């Protein structure tokens, strides 16, 4: 059986809390061989090695205490069949994804794919030319409460989309603690809003045509960080439907869950609403106080067969595992073919995956909206239009 070698670029919150537990679990399941992690700082690698001894992580940088290009060294060391998992600040995604494609490695990139339509177009063109699988981790597609509305919509039970309200807000620890070094280069729209932009597209298949956005800077600037606290975006879709998207990352530290989030859509034949934070499964403990607990995202449970072992389950893992399984399938079905036949088979398989996965042809949708949204915010709510190629422009 083929096993994948994996490079994870980035040693921060997502890598520690989600990606390494998933990769370690899939290594035990016989799907992953070597795990390499690349970060800017050597001390980050050392801490991950100590926390995940079973993963047998090989990390970069190994010599210098800090090296912003350690990820390139890691990719030079990666052996096929290999996958590159990108979990870095949003503005670094494009360069790293394009580099990995040129090296011929399949890619899993944390959302958003990138920040501009121009870069998304480059990634789409390059990945198709090279026959490389590039998957954006829109894990909300795997939340069954949201897959349910997509099912009923596609079956015609909901009618046609009219309007939508989505919200995604997180505690202030995100910009103040985890992303302090780069949150000025992003915003809650780009980091959080991208999920529910993709969700509207995932449900309806419609394309965005007009964006109006506003953003506020009050709390973070008072703390010396020149970043948006919050944003509100009106997205007009190709059938005239309007989505109102509300984001922020400055909720109080004592908010009982990391994220307040939900999705509501009104259609001609039905309506759907879901609180994607409060799943009516809550704890109150001496250690953590009151906690709104989401058992469906990514949580450890006792393994049925090895009760002394944690088993991580949830849609946060399902999304990454789907991409790993796709890459395994591609490599298995091309393993015994000559170079030309393998390339043709890869292109054929990826073309099929483009219909059902957040590959660049789909991920470009949310990128177009966040780029247009940022343009509108900078101009204090000026309308931004998207042409047939999703290129944003002012009127």
């Amino acid at each position: 059986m083929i096993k994948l070698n994996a490079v994870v670029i980035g040693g921060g919150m997502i890598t520690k809390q989600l990606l390494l537990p998933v990769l370690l679990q899939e290594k035990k399941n016989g799907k992953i061989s070597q795990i390499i992690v690349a970060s800017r700082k050597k001390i980050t690698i050392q801490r991950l090695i100590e926390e995940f001894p079973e993963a047998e992580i090989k990390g970069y940088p190994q010599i210098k205490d800090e090296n912003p290009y350690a990820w390139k060294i890691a990719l030079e060391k990666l052996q096929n069949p290999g996958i590159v998992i990108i979990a870095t600040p949003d503005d670094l995604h494009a360069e790293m994804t394009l580099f990995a494609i040129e090296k011929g490695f399949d890619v899993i990139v944390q959302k958003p794919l990138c920040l501009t339509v121009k870069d998304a177009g480059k990634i789409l063109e390059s990945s198709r030319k090279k026959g490389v699988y590039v998957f954006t981790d829109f894990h909300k597609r795997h939340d069954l409460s949201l897959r349910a509305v997509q099912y009923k919509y596609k079956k015609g039970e909901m009618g046609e989309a009219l309007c939508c309200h989505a919200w995604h807000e997180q505690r202030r620890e995100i910009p103040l603690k985890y992303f302090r070094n780069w949150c000025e280069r992003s915003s809650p729209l780009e980091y959080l809003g991208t999920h529910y932009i993709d969700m509207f597209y995932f449900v309806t298949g419609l394309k965005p045509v007009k964006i109006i956005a506003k953003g506020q800077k009050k709390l973070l600037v008072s703390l010396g960080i020149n970043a948006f606290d919050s944003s509100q975006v009106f997205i007009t879709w190709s059938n005239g439907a309007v989505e109102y998207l509300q984001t922020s990352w400055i909720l109080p530290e004592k908010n009982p869950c990391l994220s307040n989030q939900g999705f509501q859509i009104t259609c001609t034949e039905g309506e759907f609403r879901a609180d994607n934070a409060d799943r009516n499964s809550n704890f109150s403990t001496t250690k953590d106080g009151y906690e709104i607990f989401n058992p469906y995202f990514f949580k450890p449970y006792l393994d049925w067969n090895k009760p002394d072992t944690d088993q991580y389950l949830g849609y946060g893992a399902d999304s990454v595992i789907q991409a790993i399984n796709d890459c395994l399938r591609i490599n298995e079905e091309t393993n015994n073919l000559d170079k030309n036949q393998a390339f043709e088979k890869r292109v054929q398989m990826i073309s099929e995956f483009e219909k059902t996965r957040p590959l660049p042809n789909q991920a470009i949708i949310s990128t177009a909206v966040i780029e247009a949204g940022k343009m509108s915010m900078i101009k204090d709510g000026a309308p931004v239009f998207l042409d047939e190629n999703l290129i944003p422009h002012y009127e």
Side-chain angles (χ1 to χ4, degrees), residues 53-195:
E54 292 179 272
E56 299 177 325
I57 295 169
K58 185 173 183 179
Y60 297 91
Q62 293 183 336
I63 301 173
K64 295 181 179 179
D65 290 336
E66 186 168 343
N67 182 357
Y69 300 104
W71 61 275
K72 289 189 175 182
I73 300 173
L75 263 64
E76 295 291 346
K77 300 293 184 181
L78 180 62
Q79 296 181 348
N80 274 312
I83 57 170
V84 177
I85 305 176
I86 299 171
T88 63
D90 302 338
D91 59 320
L92 303 180
H93 289 185
E95 178 188 3
M96 293 173 174
T97 300
L98 288 166
F99 189 90
I101 292 170
E102 284 301 311
K103 291 291 182 182
F105 295 120
D106 296 320
V107 180
I108 302 171
V109 57
Q110 290 300 300
K111 53 74 198 164
L113 171 62
C114 55
L115 297 180
T116 69
V117 173
K118 181 179 179 180
D119 282 339
K122 289 179 181 177
I123 292 169
L124 176 58
E125 180 182 2
S126 181
S127 62
R128 284 176 170 172
K129 181 179 178 181
K130 293 283 188 178
V132 170
Y133 176 99
V134 178
F135 179 99
T136 301
D137 182 14
F138 286 115
H139 55 245
K140 290 193 185 299
R141 291 188 177 203
H142 291 260
D143 184 338
L144 293 180
S145 72
L146 295 171
R147 284 188 69 190
V149 68
Q150 187 223 28
Y151 177 84
K152 288 186 176 291
Y153 192 92
K154 296 296 187 183
K155 291 294 184 179
E157 297 179 33
M158 299 290 288
E160 186 177 2
L162 296 172
C163 58
C164 170
H165 175 209
W167 59 99
H168 199 169
E169 301 176 304
Q170 289 191 335
R171 290 195 298 241
R172 60 189 63 183
E173 67 192 64
I174 296 299
L176 293 181
K177 178 182 177 182
Y178 294 109
F179 301 160
R180 192 181 187 100
N181 291 334
W182 62 272
C183 64
E184 291 184 353
R185 310 198 306 269
S186 183
S187 75
L189 168 61
E190 289 143 301
Y191 178 66
L192 298 173
T194 184
H195 270 306

Side-chain angles (χ1 to χ4, degrees), residues 36-56:
I36 300 173
V37 180
S39 185
R40 284 191 309 111
K41 296 181 179 180
K42 185 178 178 180
I43 191 171
T44 301
I45 300 300
Q46 292 171 337
R47 288 169 179 167
L48 292 174
I49 290 172
E50 291 172 3
E51 188 161 347
F52 297 93
E54 292 179 272
E56 299 177 325

